[in-house]
Amino acid sequence: MNTSVLDAPAATTPAGTLPIGADERLLLRGGPLAAMIYAAAIGFAAWFLSTTHPAFDASPLQAAAGFRDNAWQLAVSTMLFLLPMPFVLMFLGGLTATLRRAGGALTVTMFAAGLLDLALFASASVTSSIVATIGALDASTATGAVIKALDGVLPVAIAVAGLARTAQFGCAAVLLRRTGLVGRGLLVFTVVVAALGGVGVATVFAPLFFPVTELAMILGWVWMAVLGIRLGRVAVRQGDPQAESRVDPGRRRRRPAPCRESCTTASLRLPTDGPDVRG
């Protein structure tokens, strides 16, 4: 019988039965935590862009002076986008450990692509954050041109990271499909994010595609939160004492009480090996 690539391990890994131990459950919580910090970062960045951030069509001299005068806003924005890094790493580790039984090669690829996506975003954020320091040292027109160029590194880096995001979410979709740990809706959402990441790469050639790149990035953070919560609620497979010890006692399955009638009958049963006391 022919087996689809998507369902390859189904014979040895029944749907929804992969054990999620205590370590995996703990690491998967990094997804919602990272998403919450990213939400705060997006809110602050939106406020900064709509208030004192230099206009995108500003002259080099205006850009140099603008970033120089808004150094603290730029520093806070950068820090908020970098703070989730440890939690993203936690989530990637927990997800990799959870799905590795469904396909070792795909799991490694997913993990590597997630690391590359994170590294590109973090390095571009740090690079863009030095524009305030450069502006404070020299606010000339020539320096302003360099500042505007550095400020444009982040959108391009996010767009290029879309290729890694496509690989990461593509592998995750196949692995989640094999395990049966999530429903069809979340699977479709995973595929959509993967597709948007690939389309957003066009930002490198046409800036008008940047909203697609930004949408893919934000939806990726939402995906981390939803998947982390969903997998954290998956029932623990019986026989895994390490994971079962972490489950809320109120949610543990009650074991049936022993039959009282059997115990009473057994206690009244006469011994068979001793001397015969009858008659």
Side-chain angles (χ1 to χ4, degrees):
M1 180 175 60
N2 294 330
T3 303
S4 171
V5 175
L6 296 177
D7 303 321
T12 57
T13 307
T17 60
L18 284 181
I20 301 179
D23 291 340
E24 288 85 350
R25 292 165 66 88
L26 175 63
L27 292 174
L28 286 169
R29 293 174 185 172
L33 292 175
M36 287 191 295
I37 302 176
Y38 278 133
I42 292 173
F44 185 85
W47 170 81
F48 181 32
L49 289 172
S50 63
T51 54
T52 58
H53 189 282
F56 292 102
D57 58 350
S59 66
L61 188 60
Q62 291 173 334
F67 283 115
R68 178 198 60 196
D69 298 337
N70 294 277
W72 75 267
Q73 293 96 324
L74 189 61
V76 171
S77 179
T78 302
M79 182 55 62
L80 286 175
F81 278 112
L82 293 179
L83 277 178
M85 285 181 59
F87 302 110
V88 176
L89 292 174
M90 286 175 57
F91 173 78
L92 288 175
L95 185 62
T96 301
T98 300
L99 301 180
R100 70 182 185 276
R101 299 173 183 85
L106 286 176
T107 307
V108 172
T109 303
M110 179 191 69
F111 182 72
L115 288 181
L116 180 58
D117 182 11
L118 182 63
L120 286 172
F121 180 73
S123 59
S125 298
V126 173
T127 301
S128 297
S129 69
I130 65 175
V131 294
T133 303
I134 298 175
L137 295 174
D138 184 9
S140 64
T141 302
T143 303
V146 175
I147 288 176
K148 286 181 68 70
L150 290 176
D151 188 48
V153 169
L154 183 58
V156 174
I158 296 175
V160 174
L163 293 174
R165 198 172 301 118
T166 298
Q168 176 191 3
F169 282 80
C171 292
V174 175
L175 293 168
L176 291 172
R177 170 67 175 81
R178 287 178 177 179
T179 59
L181 292 174
V182 299
R184 184 182 300 273
L186 191 52
L187 280 176
V188 173
F189 185 76
T190 305
V191 174
V192 169
V193 176
L196 289 175
V199 174
V201 178
T203 304
V204 177
F205 308 102
L208 61 90
F209 283 96
F210 180 68
V212 178
T213 296
E214 197 170 21
L215 178 62
M217 180 180 64
I218 294 174
L219 291 181
W221 297 336
V222 174
W223 178 81
M224 282 196 307
V226 174
L227 188 60
I229 294 173
R230 173 68 181 88
L231 294 181
R233 291 179 177 176
V234 171
V236 181
R237 188 178 67 176
Q238 292 184 358
D240 186 358
Q242 181 186 14
E244 191 175 358
S245 64
R246 297 294 301 273
V247 179
D248 184 359
R251 296 176 58 190
R252 292 179 183 170
R253 180 179 298 178
R254 295 180 179 273
R255 295 185 178 180
C259 179
R260 294 183 178 181
E261 183 180 355
S262 300
C263 298
T264 304
T265 304
S267 63
L268 295 177
R269 188 174 299 164
L270 293 175
T272 57
D273 297 334
D276 188 2
V277 297
R278 291 175 295 178

